[in-house]
Amino acid sequence: MTRIGVIGAGAWGMNHVRSFASVPECKLTAVADARPEVRSSLGRSYPNLKLFEDGAGLIACEDVDAVVIATPSPSHAPLAQAALHAGKHVLVEKPMALSVADAEATVAAAEKSGKVLMTGHLLLYHSAVLYLRQLIDDGTLGEPRYVYCERVNLGTIRKDENALWSFAPHDLSVAAFLLGTDIADVSSRGAAYLQPNIHDVVFTNVRYHDGRMANIHVSWLDPHKSRRIVLVGTKKMAVFDDMSAEKVRVYDKGADRVPAAVGYEEHLTVRSGDILIPNIKLEEPLKVEAKHFLACIRDGKTPRSDGQNGLTVVRMLEAAQRSLDKGGAPIQMSSLEVLL
C-alpha cells in the first residue's frame, strides 16, 4: 500500500488530503504545512498523521513513498525535484514549474530516479473531457478543426501570479490532450486593470502546423462564472459546460461542400441536425486523478498527465507570457524546444 504525504494544506491541498484519505488503495501518512493552526486542525481530524512544518521534513520521512505537492507555484519545481532525488514518486500541482528550464530539470530528475512524475492537470481526469477525446478517437466529430475554452469568474484576485498562469494550465492541457502537441506558435494579449503587470484577463491563441487552433480566454474580472470548452469537428461539434447539469452536448451541425455545385451560393451548405445529450457517468475528477497516480505507481505505467505533459504546458505558458510581454507577437514553439 502506497504511503502518501501531502505538502501544502491550503484550500486545494486540503482537497488532496481528503481525497487520498478516502482512497483505500493508499495510506495518508503525513502532511506538511507552515501554519501551526492548520497542523493542529489536521491532528484533530487525522490523529495518526505525521505533521511537518515544511516540505523538507516530509520528504525525508521514511514513512512516505509518494509526495503530493500543493504549495504556491514558485515552490513546485524545487520541491518536486527534491522529492524525486529522495526516491519519492511525485504528483505536483499545475503549473509544474514557472519556466521551461525548471520543468526540464524536473523531468530529468524523474527520469534519473525512475519514479513516477505526474502533473495535476485535473481536467484530463474529468469524465466529460475524456468523452470529448472519445468523440475524436471514434470518428464521431470527424477531424477536429479547433477548440476554444472559457474560464472566467469574478473571483479570487491573486498577487503572486496572473490569470494566465493561474487559470490557463487547465485549458492548455486540454488543448494538448484533444489536438496534440504539434504546435507552431502561441500568441497572447491581455490587460492588467487592477494591479500593475499582473494581467486580470488574457486571450491566448495556439496555432498548430496543420492549421488547427485553440483559443483560450481566462479572467478573474468577469461578471459571470463560466467553465466551457467547445470542440468543432468536420462532422459534428461538442460543448462541455461544467456549470451545467448536462455536461456535454453533441451537435450534428456543420458546413458541407457540395462537389457538383454550379454557382458560388450552392458551393457550401449549412447542416443543422439533432442534438445529443449523452449520459456520462460522472466521478469526482480529483479522486480519479488520485487513483490513476496510485495505479501508475503500482503498475509502473506512464501517467496521462506525466512530466512530459507538464513540460508541454509550461512551454505553452512561457510562450504565451513572452507574447504578452511583446504586445501579442506570436512566439514560435521551436524557440522553446526541449533540451533533454
Side-chain angles (χ1 to χ4, degrees), residues 9-10 60 89 102 110 114 118-119 148 164 176 203 213 251 254 259 264 279 293 326 336:
H89 303 284
D102 284 344
M118 181 168 153
T119 312
Y148 67 87
L164 172 71
F203 296 86
M213 66 178 179
Y251 296 83
Y264 177 79
N279 182 17
F293 180 50
K326 293 178 179 294
L336 300 170

Side-chain angles (χ1 to χ4, degrees), residues 7 10 67 79 84 98 101 123 127 174 192 256 295:
I7 302 176
V67 174
L79 285 171
L84 290 164
L98 295 183
L123 283 178
S127 301
V174 170
D256 300 322

Side-chain angles (χ1 to χ4, degrees), residues 112-273:
K112 184 177 181 180
S113 69
K115 298 299 180 181
V116 171
L117 171 61
M118 181 168 153
T119 312
H121 291 153
L122 189 63
L123 283 178
L124 303 194
Y125 302 93
H126 196 300
S127 301
V129 173
L130 296 178
Y131 184 80
L132 294 182
R133 180 69 229 187
Q134 179 186 325
L135 292 176
I136 295 174
D137 291 340
D138 64 17
T140 299
L141 292 185
E143 291 297 322
R145 282 177 166 155
Y146 69 90
V147 61
Y148 67 87
C149 310
E150 186 178 60
R151 187 168 303 275
V152 299
N153 193 17
L154 185 60
T156 303
I157 299 168
R158 302 179 184 275
K159 298 180 179 180
D160 56 344
E161 62 183 3
N162 60 25
L164 172 71
W165 287 86
S166 181
F167 291 164
H170 290 296
D171 301 302
L172 291 173
S173 68
V174 170
F177 183 60
L178 297 178
L179 301 184
T181 58
D182 187 25
I183 299 165
D185 57 53
V186 177
S187 58
S188 284
R189 285 185 177 272
Y193 293 112
L194 301 180
Q195 303 170 90
N197 302 318
I198 300 179
H199 287 77
D200 312 295
V201 56
V202 179
F203 296 86
T204 297
N205 177 267
V206 179
R207 189 174 66 87
Y208 285 76
H209 284 106
D210 62 4
R212 292 175 299 161
M213 66 178 179
N215 282 287
I216 293 163
H217 172 206
V218 294
S219 174
W220 54 50
L221 190 61
D222 199 273
H224 66 288
K225 184 174 183 178
S226 176
R227 301 286 186 268
R228 198 162 67 110
I229 298 171
V230 179
L231 177 60
V232 175
T234 55
K235 293 181 179 178
K236 295 183 180 182
M237 308 174 183
V239 177
F240 163 36
D241 186 349
D242 206 14
M243 305 306 297
S244 171
E246 300 166 347
K247 296 298 182 187
V248 175
R249 290 189 173 208
V250 182
Y251 296 83
D252 185 10
K253 291 186 175 184
D256 300 322
R257 293 183 180 274
V258 181
V262 176
Y264 177 79
E265 292 182 355
E266 296 84 19
H267 188 63
L268 293 173
T269 60
V270 175
R271 169 174 41 81
S272 184

